[in-house]
Amino acid sequence: MSPLRALDVVEARPEHAAVVADIIRRSFGARRELDPPSTATQETEASVREVLETSGGLLVERRGRPMGALLFDESRPGLLGLRRVSVDPEIQSRGVASAMVGVAEDTAEERGKDGIWLHVRAELPDTVRFWERRKYVRTGGEGTLLEFGKTLWLARETRTADDTQDLARRLAGLLRAGDLLVLSGDLGAGKTTFTQGLADGLDVRGPVTSPTFIVARHHPPLADGPGLVHVDAYRLGSAAELDDLDLDASLAESVTVVEWGEGLAEQLSPDRLHLRFERREAASDDPLGTSAAETDDADDLDEPRVVTVTPHGARWVGVPLRSTLLG
């Protein structure tokens, strides 16, 4: 079935309580019987109004007709919970739930949250797949009630090399042995500069320089934290060549950073951070117009960058990436 057009996803206010409660009851009531049964069918206008007054929710309409709704839960610090995700049973599989999830993630960002959590019934495999397709991962739960979560991606501008290194030091405080960071971006975009800040934050033996010709360098810890394995995959032609470095042997006890690793290093771990570095062209007094990528120490020039951080895997669910890196 084709998706519905002109969907309006709006904030559900207390005056919408009766409409939202009706959608929830009809949506959950149309599901097959579960054991134990869902309590969603017992929602009332009063119970929904109480949630909307404290945490809020969303309502989907098309030409004034209610199509779907969900309730928010702010009981967990730094996270936004989604409850009673409901779609009118007469219009299932028409994009209503996807539209709500997209706006819910935007709402989490606006409220300064790091991520989202929700519960899913194990007996509903189509619902489980719906959330998995949207990069939500299972984080816990037993029996029939599974917990899923997602840490939100973020983008941060750094205006100088010092800013880039400061961002890395902030991230270092969240890292532990076994973490994998995959760095991508053009020449001179700031990948090595970032790794230098990361090494400083991890307190490992330096100096940290681009390992292009050595391919991989190990920097042991100076204190009790993990070491740093710094890999430059620029000259590697395939994932098999990366395999030959035997990084698996050191992955568990170190933080591993792979520059130019996109499309190669993902095989190392399903739990990873992907950091993309993009240079923003700055005005230059250089009459020759020499670009950063044409200089010997391009990575150290003070030019604005945008660093995009995208988490993958259950490791990062619940980790305060946004609040830490955005300050």
Side-chain angles (χ1 to χ4, degrees):
M1 301 178 71
S2 60
L4 291 167
R5 303 299 181 187
L7 289 174
D8 294 318
V9 185
V10 300
E11 176 188 358
R13 299 184 297 275
E15 56 264 34
H16 296 132
V19 172
V20 171
D22 177 64
I23 294 174
I24 291 173
R25 290 193 298 265
R26 289 193 295 111
S27 175
F28 282 81
R31 295 179 176 180
R32 64 181 179 83
E33 287 190 23
L34 301 176
D35 184 21
S38 171
T39 59
T41 56
Q42 300 171 21
E43 291 283 7
T44 65
E45 179 180 350
S47 66
V48 169
R49 181 184 298 274
E50 182 179 359
V51 176
L52 295 180
E53 288 175 340
T54 55
S55 298
L58 296 176
L59 175 65
V60 183
E61 298 176 327
R62 180 176 182 264
R63 297 177 181 174
R65 177 189 171 186
M67 298 283 187
L70 64 77
L71 302 176
F72 291 135
D73 185 329
E74 295 206 80
S75 61
R76 301 186 185 185
L79 298 174
L80 184 64
L82 307 185
R83 299 178 57 243
R84 309 308 198 203
V85 181
S86 308
V87 177
D88 186 329
E90 296 180 5
I91 53 167
Q92 297 285 344
S93 303
R94 302 290 292 275
V96 175
S98 295
M100 281 195 295
V101 173
V103 175
E105 292 179 0
D106 290 342
T107 301
E109 291 183 16
E110 292 166 2
R111 295 189 183 186
K113 305 297 185 181
D114 288 295
I116 292 176
W117 67 273
L118 69 148
H119 287 133
V120 181
R121 291 296 291 260
E123 310 98 311
L124 301 174
D126 289 344
T127 303
V128 171
R129 284 191 291 269
F130 171 87
W131 293 104
E132 289 176 338
R133 286 196 301 269
R134 285 150 187 83
K135 308 301 182 184
Y136 286 75
V137 296
R138 182 178 173 181
T139 58
E142 297 180 357
T144 62
L145 197 62
L146 309 179
E147 183 169 309
F148 278 71
K150 181 179 183 179
T151 294
L152 302 174
W153 68 278
L154 65 102
R156 167 75 183 271
E157 183 180 70
T158 61
R159 304 195 64 83
T160 67
D162 286 344
D163 285 349
T164 300
Q165 292 190 346
D166 179 66
L167 182 68
R169 293 186 191 97
R170 292 187 183 204
L171 178 59
L174 301 176
L175 298 179
R176 67 190 188 197
D179 285 340
L180 172 66
L181 280 63
V182 180
L183 278 51
S184 64
D186 293 337
L187 287 168
K191 299 184 293 298
T192 298
T193 297
F194 181 89
T195 306
Q196 290 167 344
L198 199 70
D200 185 42
L202 292 172
D203 193 20
V204 300
R205 184 180 301 163
V208 172
T209 59
S210 177
T212 298
F213 296 101
I214 299 178
V215 183
R217 284 195 177 98
H218 178 247
H219 300 272
L222 297 174
D224 294 331
L228 172 67
V229 175
H230 184 199
V231 181
D232 191 324
Y234 182 71
R235 297 179 182 276
L236 300 181
S238 67
E241 291 184 33
L242 186 65
D243 256 351
D244 290 341
L245 298 179
D246 199 22
L247 296 176
D248 292 341
S250 60
L251 194 64
E253 62 266 13
S254 303
V255 171
T256 302
V257 176
V258 184
E259 296 189 30
W260 302 97
E262 187 175 14
L264 298 174
E266 292 86 353
Q267 63 173 342
L268 295 174
S269 175
D271 297 304
R272 60 189 182 275
L273 290 181
H274 181 197
L275 292 90
R276 178 176 295 279
F277 296 77
E278 298 174 280
R279 293 173 53 240
R280 286 191 172 176
E281 297 297 333
S284 173
D285 295 328
D286 181 358
L288 299 179
T290 304
S291 71
E294 294 168 337
T295 63
D296 289 337
D297 48 351
D299 226 19
D300 297 323
L301 293 181
D302 284 346
E303 290 184 344
R305 271 97 168 155
V306 174
V307 184
T308 303
V309 183
T310 305
H312 297 271
R315 154 73 175 104
W316 299 104
V317 176
V319 176
L321 277 173
R322 291 181 60 84
S323 55
T324 299
L325 301 186
L326 297 179

